[in-house]
Amino acid sequence: MSKMKKNKILENIKLFAAGAKGVAIGRTEEGKTVLVTGAVPGDSVNVRVRKSKSKYIEGEAVEILEYSADRVEPKCEHFGVCGGCKWQNLSYEKQLYFKQDEVLNNIRRIGGVDDFELVPILGSEEQYYYRNKMEFSFSNARWLTPEEVSSQQDINDKNALGFHIPGMWSKVLDLKNCYLQEDPSNELRIAVRSFAEKHGMAFYDLKNQDGFLRTLMMRQNSKGEWMVVFQLFREEEENRKKLFDFILSKFPQIKTLVYAINPKGNDSVYDLEIKTYYGDGFLMEEMDGLKFKVGAKSFFQTNYKQALELYRKTLEFADLKGNEVVYDLYTGTGTIAQYVARNAKQVIGIESVQEAIDAATEHAKLNGLANCTFYCGDMKEVFTEEFLARHPKADVLITDPPRDGMHPKVVEQILKLSPEKIVYVSCNSATQARDIALMKDDYKLVKILPVDMFPQTHHIENIALLIKK
């Protein structure tokens, strides 16, 4: 079948499965795969072609002819615009089904492995209000609805505090209500927006890079204590104090309030100086007796309850007896390393971000874990034969890499290290499967467990246990 022209309409495509990044999958009459956005498995749709390749077509649903039996009414008024929660129109039961199916397909197709145990997917007890961290952007040029654009009227209210529109970074959705973080998240965001407008504070101009208020981040811990983090494009001391004092008086849940001045071209907080306006500048979090200090720059799992389940299952897969040396690659702030340390003889963690290593070392001392040692550096450069020669041999290796998976040199070193057991935690089962394929001559994949950390989205974590042959 030859390539199709862009914008051609394919009629009556029945969607039967979900693919990577949440697209729905159908086929043409000739049997060519069609990857469709804007619909869910079970729908029958007309599709506008956006891209045509030799093996597949990418397109968007322009008309739904028949609705899937698995559809549900989206809860959020912003569904389909803000870019988040793309599966909010699909029943949670089917979300879990398709997430598990994606993991299985990747392990079998990319990993080339069929003989393993599937532990049924671990769903999230909470499908909404599960995030403990949200970040919102200020803008003086909010996204306008199609109705507003077509009205040709002058729009005076152009300020926004919300999310960037996918594919239109300069446009920000003025968020009315979000179901991802519990109250007072919505109340606080709306109060900040209202107070700032009332007092004439300038919302950030993304195109001209000017203004006062840039981003607002809110974090909470499991005790119901909150951290508020502002990024300001420039210092306006009087406005800053006025706004900060207002929200502190209105929201007693705020345990600490910090801010940073950011005149850069991006919103990254990691190279900024964080200034504490109120409180300690951090929150304390606890997980099964372990304490962690969480600050403005800290990486900490955003779904606390599911993260706890993920760590418990990782420890269960490792099946430690107390006398093992454990290597924890891509250790981050050492959360998994410390979670398993109480059941191990020694834990060695490696991570590329120095601030994360500093936090991991601090947390180990805070938790009285003298058997944890952490090293900083690029994984492929630190995790070398010289490193292995200076440290005890690993009995168990835990790895939790970023979405890109492990560098081939890291896989090569793992095979040389030859631990008896590998527990591979991944947020991308495709790259996980690729890495498993590189190790399958030496290691048997025993079992996998998908864990849903992000309901209403297509994202899925997976834990895999590999045993040395």
Side-chain angles (χ1 to χ4, degrees):
M1 185 177 179
S2 60
K3 290 187 178 181
M4 293 184 176
K5 290 184 179 180
K6 187 176 178 180
N7 293 325
K8 175 181 172 64
I9 301 297
L10 302 177
E11 295 184 344
N12 198 19
I13 301 296
K14 178 71 175 178
L15 306 175
F16 60 86
K21 299 182 180 179
V23 300
I25 300 175
R27 285 200 180 94
T28 63
E29 289 183 358
E30 296 83 1
K32 192 169 185 178
T33 299
V34 186
L35 309 177
V36 182
T37 60
V40 300
D43 286 344
S44 291
V45 298
N46 290 339
V47 179
R48 177 181 288 116
V49 175
R50 287 301 187 201
K51 190 181 294 184
S52 181
K53 300 286 187 179
S54 59
K55 293 184 178 180
Y56 63 91
I57 297 165
E58 293 180 13
E60 62 178 344
V62 292
E63 183 180 3
I64 298 177
L65 307 174
E66 182 181 341
Y67 287 96
S68 169
D70 300 315
R71 272 184 172 266
V72 295
E73 191 66 29
K75 192 169 185 173
C76 181
E77 65 184 286
H78 302 298
F79 176 76
V81 176
C82 88
C85 303
K86 289 183 178 179
W87 271 2
Q88 204 179 111
N89 58 349
L90 185 65
S91 71
Y92 189 56
E93 180 184 10
K94 278 297 179 179
Q95 289 180 36
L96 294 180
Y97 171 83
F98 287 120
K99 289 181 183 192
Q100 178 172 286
D101 193 52
E102 179 186 351
V103 172
L104 277 173
N105 286 338
N106 284 336
I107 298 296
R108 288 170 175 160
R109 181 175 54 84
I110 302 172
V113 185
D114 284 307
D115 183 20
F116 57 88
E117 177 191 354
L118 167 67
V119 183
I121 187 168
L122 183 61
S124 177
E125 183 181 333
E126 296 173 342
Q127 285 104 61
Y128 291 97
Y129 303 116
Y130 59 81
R131 290 186 66 97
N132 57 35
K133 174 188 172 186
M134 295 289 288
E135 186 165 353
F136 309 97
S137 295
F138 292 89
S139 173
N140 67 350
R142 69 175 174 86
W143 177 80
L144 301 177
T145 67
E147 292 75 22
E148 287 176 311
V149 173
S150 62
S151 71
Q152 297 184 339
Q153 296 179 354
D154 290 334
I155 307 294
N156 296 318
D157 177 19
K158 288 191 176 181
N159 284 337
L161 178 54
F163 300 134
H164 290 272
I165 299 292
M168 292 186 284
W169 185 251
S170 64
K171 298 298 180 184
V172 173
L173 171 69
D174 191 35
L175 197 61
K176 306 302 180 188
N177 191 43
C178 181
Y179 293 91
L180 288 177
Q181 189 176 34
E182 67 183 34
D183 287 335
S185 178
N186 284 306
E187 294 173 52
L188 202 157
R189 187 191 66 256
I190 291 168
V192 166
R193 185 196 188 287
S194 177
F195 187 88
E197 278 211 317
K198 181 180 177 182
H199 291 85
M201 298 179 190
F203 286 40
Y204 189 54
D205 186 326
L206 283 99
K207 286 189 175 180
N208 298 313
Q209 296 192 0
D210 192 22
F212 171 52
L213 296 167
R214 187 160 182 170
T215 69
L216 166 66
M217 191 254 276
M218 290 180 277
R219 240 178 165 143
Q220 80 215 71
N221 63 14
S222 55
K223 296 178 182 178
E225 298 169 333
W226 288 70
M227 165 189 282
V228 176
V229 183
F230 280 93
Q231 283 191 43
L232 310 174
F233 179 71
R234 60 176 177 243
E235 174 65 288
E236 294 181 10
E237 186 175 0
E238 184 179 345
N239 278 334
R240 173 172 59 78
K241 290 182 176 179
K242 191 186 301 182
L243 176 61
F244 291 1
D245 290 343
F246 163 71
I247 63 172
L248 287 171
S249 67
K250 188 173 176 65
F251 298 95
Q253 303 96 325
I254 299 175
K255 184 80 171 176
T256 188
L257 191 156
V258 302
Y259 70 101
I261 307 299
N262 181 9
K264 300 182 304 169
N266 62 67
D267 292 340
S268 172
V269 74
Y270 296 103
D271 56 351
L272 300 177
E273 179 190 357
I274 304 297
K275 301 178 182 180
T276 301
Y277 186 78
Y278 171 77
D280 296 325
F282 60 86
L283 297 175
M284 292 303 301
E285 187 56 278
E286 187 171 327
M287 303 186 87
D288 282 346
L290 292 171
K291 292 184 173 68
F292 298 96
K293 195 163 83 172
V294 183
K297 299 181 182 181
S298 299
F299 172 80
F300 200 82
Q301 289 282 4
T302 52
N303 186 337
Y304 170 83
K305 290 183 178 178
Q306 278 297 88
L308 193 53
E309 292 301 320
L310 181 76
Y311 299 153
R312 287 169 176 167
K313 292 299 181 183
T314 299
L315 179 59
E316 183 182 310
F317 272 41
D319 190 27
L320 301 174
K321 307 302 181 186
N323 59 348
E324 297 94 344
V325 174
V326 179
Y327 280 34
D328 183 32
L329 308 190
Y330 310 91
T331 191
T333 55
T335 317
I336 291 179
Q338 291 170 72
Y339 198 87
V340 304
R342 294 175 293 187
N343 296 71
K345 178 182 177 182
Q346 183 179 358
V347 179
I348 295 170
I350 308 173
E351 166 63 41
S352 63
V353 180
Q354 184 61 54
E355 286 183 336
I357 287 296
D358 293 342
T361 302
E362 182 181 6
H363 291 151
K365 290 179 181 177
L366 182 66
N367 291 309
L369 297 170
N371 63 339
C372 290
T373 310
F374 298 99
Y375 297 90
C376 182
D378 186 288
M379 195 66 56
K380 67 181 183 296
E381 295 172 5
V382 173
F383 190 53
T384 61
E385 290 185 37
E386 291 77 16
F387 180 91
L388 300 179
R390 296 196 309 269
H391 296 86
K393 184 182 185 302
D395 302 298
V396 177
L397 184 138
I398 298 172
T399 182
D400 185 7
R403 292 194 61 79
D404 289 342
M406 297 190 291
H407 191 280
K409 288 185 179 179
V410 176
V411 176
E412 185 181 324
Q413 287 305 106
I414 290 174
L415 293 176
K416 289 179 180 177
L417 180 63
S418 191
E420 292 299 318
K421 192 181 300 179
I422 298 171
V423 182
Y424 191 149
V425 182
S426 173
C427 60
N428 184 347
S429 61
T431 55
Q432 181 188 44
R434 177 204 67 201
D435 295 343
I436 288 172
L438 295 175
M439 297 187 285
K440 68 180 181 180
D441 288 342
D442 298 89
Y443 285 87
K444 174 178 172 56
L445 178 62
V446 177
K447 60 181 176 179
I448 65 170
L449 168 60
V451 180
D452 185 24
M453 303 286 287
F454 302 105
Q456 317 309 331
T457 77
H458 63 272
H459 297 292
I460 183 68
E461 300 266 337
N462 188 50
I463 310 173
L465 172 64
L466 298 97
I467 301 293
K468 186 179 176 182
K469 289 182 178 178

